[in-house]
Amino acid sequence: MAILITNIGTSDITVKIDDYYIPVGFDRNEPNIDESGLTDDEKTVWDAQLRQSYIISELCPELGVTVTENRNGQKSFSFRELTQKLLAAYEKDETGTWHDRIRPGRIWGVLQTATQDPNFQVKQAYIFVTDQPEFILDKKSGKEKLNLLGYPSDSIHLFNILKKWFQQEMPDLELICKVIPKHIPAVDRDELLNYYYQFFFQHIRTEQTLLIAIKGGTPQMQLALTMQAIASSVTSQLFINPQLSVKNILNGKASECDFASYWRYMRSQKYQDVQIILESRWDFRGAISILDKWLATLKFLKPYIDDPKLSASNELLSRIVKTLEVGDYCLNLDSQTAKDFLVNNPQLASKLSKKLVKQVSNYDSLLNLYSQCCIYYNLDQIANFLSRMSSFYEGVLEKTATQIGIDIDFPYLKNRFEKRNFISEKILQRNQASEQQAWQEILLLLKSLDYWCSHRNQLIHHGKGMSKKRMKLLYQEEVKKEHLDTCPPDRIIEHMAKILTSNLEIVKPEYLHQFVRTSTHHYIYSEVKDWAIAQLLHEGLQ
């Protein structure tokens, strides 16, 4: 079930005087005011000075509201006092006269839209009101002074009028009053941002459908509510905009409303988040999670927001998510699923990076493990790094056995030492000098990794954990024991690269310059990351 959150302000009440409903506190020159269809009489009544004079000369005396006059002869009244006395009169009235004379302003149309739309059927509305102190501290003099800007315009009594009115008109709707604390001025943007943040944190769940109306309250309240609503990560949210029709206001009718969304701004925030986690963490699954939620937002918005680019964005995002999934399959060593996906989705594959399709179709397991080691080491995810390094070690032995045609017997050998010795014996029997030399170079490099492979489980699974710093300390202990054949931690990647570039050609030569002799391009993962980011950045400019 959806919920509504909204500010209210001085424009949210009208009172019937003679033949028309006159806004009590509408004093803004707002853009896009609809003055179409007005009669000459209605045009006259809508004149700002005449509206004010109606309230001052008719309503204020009726309610006993104080009217003040400045040096220039301009008369004014306190909105707070007027609504307080109007509420008192409304509560005492047993004939229903005041109920008929009162009409909510734009908030009426907002609540009608929120409750009557079958997709929302709002039953609860949180309404933010002000109740500021009558006196505030003068920063210059250090003495108290009247709060002439805040206190007279407070909406606390307006809320109670609206609550009573809507109890009769919409009995199934619960209006929940949220009073902005007295110590927060209604014009203090930063304090308001913090207040609305606390509200969203305490009351709003990200899986809820959220409707927001911001027309009431101070401009600072409107901005703060908008910013925190967007920042809340609520997947399904819409802004309700009541249309200011002068004819509807004067005739006591609810405002018509339309829906709006800051989806382009929200999109830029989501895309920046994806870019950050891909560039800094290579987190394909995290990027997928963000984009999946954004796709859910676009799906929610589609019936309400008439923008063709919204549908185009949805189509592109689906392709990007699928591409990120290919990267995630490979990161989990599930190359077959990645290949099957491209084969079974040829139309999608045709729109992806040609390099990526080629790399996945001609998947190289050793290059994949090496690339992952580079990524995990740079991220200081040493547990993952050591795991992939051990797999790389085994992969080198299996690939070498395949290269020299002895892989049939290879699976029956128990461990890497038996496999290594078996290869050495077979290469010696083959009596090819260049092959023997290349293997000896690989052998020395593999032996330099033995310490880290042998201790991987112990280092990771026996409560001590692992990091670059701890690897360095362990290596220093090995040096003290004069175990000088152990590879320094910061040269493990270098030794792995030398293995791949050996003359045995266990990796295709065309891949060596692209992915092994470079520290920045990490095979499938760079292709996925760079393509996805480029697509997001380009789409974000549309």
Side-chain angles (χ1 to χ4, degrees):
M1 186 177 296
I3 63 169
L4 171 71
I5 57 175
T6 180
N7 298 318
I8 57 171
T10 57
S11 65
D12 283 309
I13 186 169
T14 65
V15 176
K16 192 172 186 179
I17 302 174
D18 295 335
D19 296 327
Y20 297 105
Y21 287 88
I22 307 299
V24 171
F26 188 86
D27 56 0
R28 298 176 184 171
N29 292 318
E30 295 194 14
N32 303 319
I33 295 179
D34 181 8
E35 298 185 6
S36 63
L38 294 179
T39 65
D40 291 340
D41 193 36
E42 289 170 339
K43 290 178 182 178
T44 301
V45 172
W46 185 249
D47 177 79
Q49 291 184 350
L50 188 57
R51 293 201 314 265
Q52 183 80 343
S53 69
Y54 267 113
I55 302 299
I56 290 173
S57 63
E58 300 285 342
L59 187 60
C60 286
E62 183 179 4
L63 294 172
V65 175
T66 303
V67 176
T68 59
E69 186 173 348
N70 64 17
R71 295 178 181 178
N72 297 323
Q74 292 179 325
K75 296 180 179 181
S76 62
F77 59 91
S78 164
F79 179 82
R80 179 185 181 117
E81 182 190 358
L82 188 149
T83 50
Q84 183 179 20
K85 291 186 175 180
L86 178 58
L87 174 63
Y90 188 15
E91 289 178 332
K92 292 177 182 177
D93 179 27
E94 297 180 356
T95 65
T97 301
W98 276 113
H99 185 85
D100 292 336
R101 288 183 64 186
I102 291 172
R103 289 291 184 271
R106 287 178 287 187
I107 188 67
W108 186 10
V110 169
L111 293 177
Q112 272 194 351
T113 302
T115 55
Q116 293 177 6
D117 190 305
N119 292 321
F120 303 132
Q121 299 181 4
V122 166
K123 300 295 184 185
Q124 283 187 332
Y126 289 94
I127 298 182
F128 295 98
V129 304
T130 57
D131 183 17
Q132 300 169 87
E134 185 175 3
F135 296 93
I136 57 175
L137 189 67
D138 189 312
K139 294 182 179 179
K140 292 184 178 180
S141 66
K143 298 179 180 179
E144 282 193 339
K145 65 176 183 179
L146 284 170
N147 184 5
L148 295 176
L149 294 178
Y151 182 79
S153 60
D154 278 334
S155 54
I156 182 65
H157 303 302
L158 170 62
F159 171 82
N160 290 316
I161 293 171
L162 296 178
K163 184 176 182 180
K164 181 176 176 63
W165 196 89
F166 281 112
Q167 280 176 343
Q168 183 170 330
E169 300 295 327
M170 298 182 183
D172 294 332
L173 176 65
E174 178 186 9
L175 301 185
I176 303 171
C177 183
K178 302 301 294 183
V179 181
I180 295 174
K182 288 181 178 290
H183 70 275
I184 300 179
V187 294
D188 190 324
R189 181 184 57 197
D190 290 339
E191 288 284 358
L192 289 167
L193 280 167
N194 183 61
Y195 170 73
Y196 283 112
Y197 168 79
Q198 294 294 334
F199 167 80
F200 276 93
F201 179 77
Q202 294 171 6
H203 298 282
I204 306 300
R205 301 189 303 274
T206 57
E207 68 273 13
Q208 286 179 308
T209 296
L210 185 62
L211 302 178
I212 310 107
I214 62 168
K215 287 296 184 182
T218 64
Q220 293 83 357
M221 290 169 63
Q222 295 172 7
L223 176 64
L225 177 54
T226 300
M227 293 180 67
Q228 292 299 0
I230 292 172
S232 68
S233 298
V234 173
T235 300
S236 303
Q237 61 173 270
L238 273 172
F239 288 81
I240 303 180
N241 288 335
Q243 302 306 303
L244 185 56
S245 167
V246 174
K247 195 168 189 69
N248 282 347
I249 291 174
L250 293 177
N251 289 279
K253 296 180 180 180
S255 298
E256 294 182 357
C257 297
D258 58 21
F259 294 104
S261 170
Y262 295 90
W263 77 272
R264 292 171 187 265
Y265 174 77
M266 295 168 70
R267 175 184 66 180
S268 67
Q269 298 300 307
K270 301 296 183 185
Y271 289 5
Q272 287 176 25
D273 289 344
V274 170
Q275 183 177 1
I276 288 170
I277 65 173
L278 287 179
E279 290 184 336
S280 63
R281 306 300 301 171
W282 301 86
D283 187 356
F284 298 117
R285 183 50 54 186
I288 291 168
S289 178
I290 292 173
L291 294 179
D292 275 344
K293 289 181 180 178
W294 181 236
L295 280 166
T297 296
L298 296 180
K299 181 179 179 181
F300 168 76
L301 293 176
K302 190 175 180 179
Y304 303 99
I305 306 300
D306 183 17
D307 189 337
K309 292 190 180 296
L310 194 145
S311 296
S313 181
N314 186 81
E315 181 181 345
L316 175 64
L317 285 178
S318 297
R319 292 203 302 269
I320 293 173
V321 167
K322 295 300 183 183
T323 303
L324 292 170
E325 287 177 346
V326 168
D328 195 56
Y329 293 143
C330 294
L331 200 61
N332 287 293
L333 307 181
D334 187 4
S335 61
Q336 191 58 52
T337 299
K339 289 179 180 180
D340 291 345
F341 175 79
L342 294 180
V343 171
N344 297 330
N345 296 274
Q347 186 175 0
L348 175 63
S350 67
K351 297 179 180 180
L352 303 182
S353 161
K354 292 181 180 179
K355 288 183 179 179
L356 173 61
V357 174
K358 180 180 178 181
Q359 289 167 16
V360 174
S361 301
N362 301 306
Y363 175 82
D364 188 303
S365 60
L366 266 187
L367 191 55
N368 185 29
L369 291 166
Y370 168 78
S371 300
Q372 290 194 28
C373 285
C374 293
I375 291 171
Y376 286 134
Y377 187 79
N378 289 333
L379 294 176
D380 202 8
Q381 293 184 12
I382 301 304
N384 288 332
F385 167 73
L386 290 177
S387 173
R388 292 300 190 260
M389 185 204 68
S390 297
S391 297
F392 173 85
Y393 193 125
E394 295 284 347
V396 168
L397 296 177
E398 293 175 7
K399 194 67 174 286
T400 303
T402 301
Q403 288 289 90
I404 63 175
I406 60 170
D407 52 310
I408 295 177
D409 300 321
F410 205 66
Y412 300 102
L413 301 174
K414 295 180 180 179
N415 54 54
R416 67 177 183 278
F417 300 110
E418 287 188 7
K419 294 175 182 178
R420 203 169 66 189
N421 292 336
F422 181 72
I423 293 173
S424 294
E425 180 182 340
K426 294 298 181 180
I427 286 181
L428 186 63
Q429 292 173 1
R430 287 163 62 90
N431 197 26
Q432 296 180 17
S434 60
E435 188 178 75
Q436 289 179 4
Q437 182 179 354
W439 170 245
Q440 287 304 311
E441 292 172 356
I442 290 176
L443 192 59
L444 288 174
L445 293 167
L446 289 174
K447 288 181 177 180
S448 75
L449 304 179
D450 275 341
Y451 171 79
W452 302 112
C453 288
S454 299
H455 288 76
R456 181 183 70 87
N457 290 336
Q458 179 182 350
L459 295 173
I460 295 171
H461 299 301
H462 288 259
K464 294 183 178 180
M466 187 52 59
S467 65
K468 288 181 182 178
K469 184 176 181 180
R470 179 156 171 75
M471 287 182 76
K472 185 176 181 180
L473 293 174
L474 291 170
Y475 175 71
Q476 290 172 351
E477 292 178 6
E478 286 296 290
V479 171
K480 289 179 182 178
K481 298 174 184 176
E482 297 187 357
H483 296 167
L484 303 180
D485 54 344
T486 298
C487 180
D490 58 356
R491 295 189 64 191
I492 292 176
I493 297 294
E494 177 187 337
H495 282 208
M496 294 170 69
K498 287 180 178 179
I499 291 172
L500 295 180
T501 56
S502 74
N503 290 334
L504 281 183
E505 294 187 359
I506 54 178
V507 169
K508 293 179 181 179
E510 64 182 283
Y511 284 161
L512 296 179
H513 177 71
Q514 289 178 267
F515 309 119
V516 180
R517 297 192 179 102
T518 174
S519 60
T520 57
H521 204 290
H522 301 311
Y523 192 38
I524 290 169
Y525 309 108
S526 289
E527 203 62 47
V528 169
K529 171 180 71 70
D530 294 344
W531 183 86
I533 290 174
Q535 296 297 310
L536 290 173
L537 292 178
H538 180 267
E539 199 266 340
L541 296 174
Q542 302 302 307

